[in-house]
Amino acid sequence: MKLKRVVKWKVALPQVLLLVLSGVLGFVVAMFFVNPTLMSWFDSDYWNAMSRFDESLRLAHARHVDEDKASFDALAEKAIGGMIESLDRHSSYYPPVQYQAFQDNTYRRYVGIGVMIRKVDKGVLLTKIFPSGPAEKAGLEVGEFILEVEGISLQGWELDKVSAKIKGERKTLVNLRVLSHDGEERNVRVRRDKIEISSIEQSSVDENGTGYLHLIQFTDRTGQEIRDALTNLQENGMKRLVLDLRDNSGGLLTAAVEVADLFLDKGLLVVSIKGREIEDQRKMSSTSSQAYACPLVILLNEGSASASEIVAGALAVHGRADLVGETSYGKGSVQTIFPLSDESGLRLTTAMYYLPDGTTIHEQGIEPDHFVPCSEDNETKLRVQRYGNRDLNQTEFSELFGFSPIPDLQKLKAMDLLLKEAEASEEK
């Protein structure tokens, strides 16, 4: 009996090994499908390129006159940056610190005190205080000036340096010396905290029932924020809407589809995406069964890009919105973010997108239905007006910012079009 058991075991052993090897092979094959970059290991061109890079890296490290510049880490960062950025102007390499900042910007979050600042002749001006943020809780107000941070005068400082000095670790305190509205100086201690910025810069309804919604970026929260804002506008009597996408440089593609979905009937194509591989090609359509049917005009300028152009293009192609302003930026490519093992990251162009009629806006932009130009100088002034204290009278505004308020001709044109359309509908 014992002999029989041994024989059975000897017979079964090759089968067990075959099963194990099959499992390992299956796992390896699956890994290549999950991570196709591993296929490079079997490409002789890859090893030839790595050999040249390795030789150049070691030679530069050992022989360049500046030892610090020729450290392995510095050389690798420059090599990766140059390699990626040479592909196209939208692909980038982010070292760890920059990658974290990029992620925070994408999701509209950072650790700070919740203010917007601008440099004017009189100093660093507080142009916006975020609701319920640390600055508001500490009593800071729009129109006040920051004179010092941690006892250091800000005279001659650039805004990025001021911003970096104010930001810091969460729950730490920053000491500010502030010039108040009454001309008195005071010290304010503000506790830094995580700040999440809304995608919506401004939302309002005028006496005619014309709503205005200024969307400044597309994030993972944008869809819900827009839905909430539209509900609020309707409750306040909105009959028609101006959607302002000027200076909106884009953001998440999924957020753009969500926004377009709010204004389109179910089943309409929003955008087509075409990449290198078959699996990178897809079509994204509207899914909502309760779209907002109010008359709609979209504002564009040369700062409207990517996700903004997807929304404007899709709604224009389907005849859902008129476009007013200037030709948009013209970014018809899709970037994918790839985190690396050292907490750095790559931003690579992986596909192109196309409007519902099959056209691309890449390097062309979207032409508005109603062209209303705005000079660079006036664009700057309008941005200041949007962020400045809207309660100032004209004299106070001029003294503070150095110019008198100007009319927003593009916005006025959009509102005029909507009112004329309403009047025409009533006459019928």
Side-chain angles (χ1 to χ4, degrees):
M1 294 294 293
K2 289 183 181 180
L3 181 60
K4 288 182 180 179
R5 282 199 293 270
V6 171
V7 170
K8 286 182 179 180
W9 171 249
K10 286 182 178 179
V11 171
L13 184 59
Q15 296 174 339
V16 171
L17 290 174
L18 184 61
L19 286 172
V20 171
L21 289 174
S22 297
V24 171
L25 182 61
F27 176 76
V28 171
V29 171
M31 285 299 296
F32 284 121
F33 280 103
V34 173
N35 186 1
T37 61
L38 298 178
M39 290 296 293
S40 299
W41 293 349
F42 301 98
D43 189 335
S44 61
D45 288 341
Y46 166 76
W47 292 109
N48 289 334
M50 286 300 295
S51 176
R52 281 188 292 140
F53 176 75
D54 173 65
E55 186 178 4
S56 301
L57 179 68
R58 289 185 287 104
L59 187 59
H61 172 72
R63 303 302 297 271
H64 190 271
V65 65
D66 192 324
E67 187 174 351
D68 292 333
K69 286 184 179 180
S71 70
F72 285 128
D73 185 62
L75 288 171
E77 285 213 345
K78 290 174 184 176
I80 297 169
M83 173 179 66
I84 300 302
E85 289 164 18
S86 69
L87 297 173
D88 66 89
R89 60 178 175 151
H90 300 299
S91 293
S92 306
Y93 165 69
Y94 298 105
V97 174
Q98 292 181 22
Y99 183 53
Q100 182 60 54
F102 170 79
Q103 289 181 304
D104 289 344
N105 181 61
T106 298
Y107 293 98
R108 301 288 290 171
R109 68 190 182 201
Y110 67 95
V111 174
I113 64 172
V115 299
M116 291 188 71
I117 57 177
R118 184 174 181 83
K119 191 174 181 181
V120 296
D121 291 340
K122 294 183 180 180
V124 178
L125 175 69
L126 289 170
T127 58
K128 182 172 182 177
I129 308 293
F130 295 119
S132 303
E136 183 181 74
K137 293 175 182 177
L140 293 174
E141 298 179 358
V142 169
E144 294 184 316
F145 289 89
I146 302 177
L147 305 176
E148 299 177 357
V149 178
E150 300 294 354
I152 303 173
S153 171
L154 302 183
Q155 189 170 1
W157 283 34
E158 295 300 323
L159 278 183
D160 57 348
K161 187 177 179 181
V162 176
S163 179
K165 187 69 175 176
I166 293 174
K167 293 176 182 178
E169 294 184 10
R170 192 180 184 191
K171 302 301 181 183
T172 59
L173 292 169
V174 58
N175 298 299
L176 307 177
R177 183 77 172 169
V178 177
L179 178 64
S180 302
H181 294 295
D182 57 9
E184 296 293 323
E185 295 185 11
R186 61 194 176 100
N187 293 317
V188 181
R189 299 184 76 194
V190 188
R191 186 177 298 276
R192 301 179 177 102
D193 206 344
K194 184 178 179 181
I195 308 296
E196 290 194 346
I197 309 170
S198 173
S199 307
I200 301 171
E201 169 58 31
Q202 187 180 349
S203 176
S204 62
V205 181
D206 68 13
E207 65 278 3
N208 297 314
T210 303
Y212 174 75
L213 199 57
H214 183 201
L215 185 61
I216 53 178
Q217 194 171 3
F218 291 85
T219 74
D220 58 344
R221 302 189 308 275
T222 298
Q224 188 58 54
E225 288 174 349
I226 292 286
R227 280 189 287 272
D228 293 342
L230 289 172
T231 298
N232 182 261
L233 290 174
Q234 282 192 322
E235 291 173 351
N236 285 278
M238 180 187 73
K239 300 175 183 177
R240 59 198 72 88
L241 177 66
V242 175
L243 178 60
D244 192 346
L245 297 180
R246 291 176 297 180
D247 297 321
N248 185 320
S249 60
L252 300 179
L253 175 65
T254 51
V257 175
E258 279 188 75
V259 172
D261 187 43
L262 293 173
F263 302 99
L264 292 174
D265 292 332
K266 186 175 182 179
L268 293 178
L269 181 63
V270 176
V271 63
S272 299
I273 303 167
K274 297 180 182 179
R276 240 166 72 172
E277 307 297 335
I278 294 178
E279 58 267 24
D280 296 328
Q281 300 182 19
R282 54 194 170 121
K283 294 182 177 181
M284 305 178 79
S285 299
S286 55
T287 58
S288 176
S289 56
Q290 293 182 328
Y292 288 88
C294 61
L296 178 66
V297 170
I298 296 177
L299 292 175
L300 296 173
N301 66 3
E302 73 284 349
S304 307
S306 190
S308 296
E309 294 173 297
I310 291 175
V311 172
L315 297 182
V317 167
H318 289 301
R320 185 61 188 84
D322 281 338
L323 308 182
V324 171
E326 300 167 294
T327 303
S328 62
Y329 181 80
K331 181 178 177 292
S333 58
V334 179
Q335 281 69 47
T336 303
I337 309 303
F338 298 94
L340 302 182
S341 57
D342 66 344
E343 298 186 347
S344 60
L346 297 185
R347 181 173 183 255
L348 287 178
T349 298
T350 53
M352 304 294 290
Y353 67 73
Y354 298 85
L355 298 180
D357 60 359
T359 60
T360 178
I361 53 87
H362 195 60
E363 307 296 350
Q364 301 177 61
I366 298 175
E367 296 283 346
D369 301 301
H370 304 273
F371 181 71
V372 182
C374 183
S375 69
E376 187 174 338
D377 183 54
N378 281 349
E379 282 182 351
T380 300
K381 290 178 179 178
L382 289 171
R383 291 185 188 109
V384 173
Q385 289 175 202
R386 285 202 296 269
Y387 297 132
N389 190 344
R390 300 179 181 92
D391 297 327
L392 297 173
N393 62 43
Q394 185 166 328
T395 301
E396 292 171 332
F397 185 96
S398 299
E399 289 179 354
L400 189 60
F401 293 104
F403 68 92
S404 298
I406 63 171
D408 187 342
L409 298 179
Q410 294 172 337
K411 181 179 176 182
L412 291 173
K413 176 66 176 178
M415 300 178 84
D416 183 57
L417 284 171
L418 287 170
L419 287 176
K420 285 182 177 178
E421 181 182 335
E423 291 171 359
S425 297
E426 290 176 1
E427 290 175 0
K428 293 178 182 178

